[in-house]
Amino acid sequence: QVQLVESGGGLVQAGGSLRLSCAVSGSIFSINAMGWYRQAPGKQRELVAVITSGGSTDYADFVKGRFTISRDNAKNTVYLQMNSLKPEDTAVYYCNAGDYRGNYYYHGGSWGQGTQVTVSS
């Protein structure tokens, strides 16, 4: 299986930036794609961004132009650079190892503990 550990969250003012990290270990060579999700209190978990093993990326409309997903294979780490943060970005952010096929991301069964992002107005 794949083990995922998210970090980098914190408290930031609206308009600020954070960079989240996801350390990946385990069966890393079986990973087709990585996704970042977020879950706000009382809401369902939603997909934020995807990066494939080939380096292609895709984003949810609500973060497009503000967030950037990237990968450092040497460090087995996936990042989410979050700029121009808004209060509605407040959520617990999770990374996930899954598959991206035909413009759809299929999440895997392993999740990290998540990292809290809080954006104040």
Side-chain angles (χ1 to χ4, degrees):
Q1 67 170 15
V2 176
Q3 292 82 47
L4 308 169
V5 180
E6 302 94 338
S7 62
L11 176 63
V12 66
Q13 296 183 79
S17 298
L18 287 171
R19 189 174 81 158
L20 308 183
S21 298
C22 174
V24 185
S25 61
S27 302
I28 60 176
F29 297 107
S30 67
I31 297 173
N32 173 263
M34 296 290 300
W36 280 99
Y37 285 77
R38 70 186 187 187
Q39 188 167 25
K43 296 186 177 181
Q44 67 184 65
R45 195 167 297 184
E46 60 185 354
L47 181 63
V48 174
V50 170
I51 187 166
T52 72
S53 59
S56 298
T57 59
D58 199 8
Y59 300 90
D61 287 342
F62 52 82
V63 304
K64 197 168 297 182
R66 300 189 297 122
F67 292 8
T68 302
I69 187 170
S70 62
R71 181 188 65 225
D72 187 335
N73 289 336
K75 296 182 177 180
N76 295 326
T77 302
V78 178
Y79 303 96
L80 185 68
Q81 178 67 46
M82 310 165 68
N83 299 326
S84 302
L85 283 162
K86 305 175 181 179
E88 52 262 46
D89 295 319
T90 295
V92 178
Y93 284 71
Y94 302 88
C95 65
N96 176 263
D99 292 318
Y100 190 74
R101 306 175 188 273
N103 298 315
Y104 294 94
Y105 182 76
Y106 301 89
H107 68 82
S110 295
W111 301 90
Q113 81 286 355
T115 186
Q116 176 70 49
V117 172
T118 302
V119 184
S120 62
S121 60

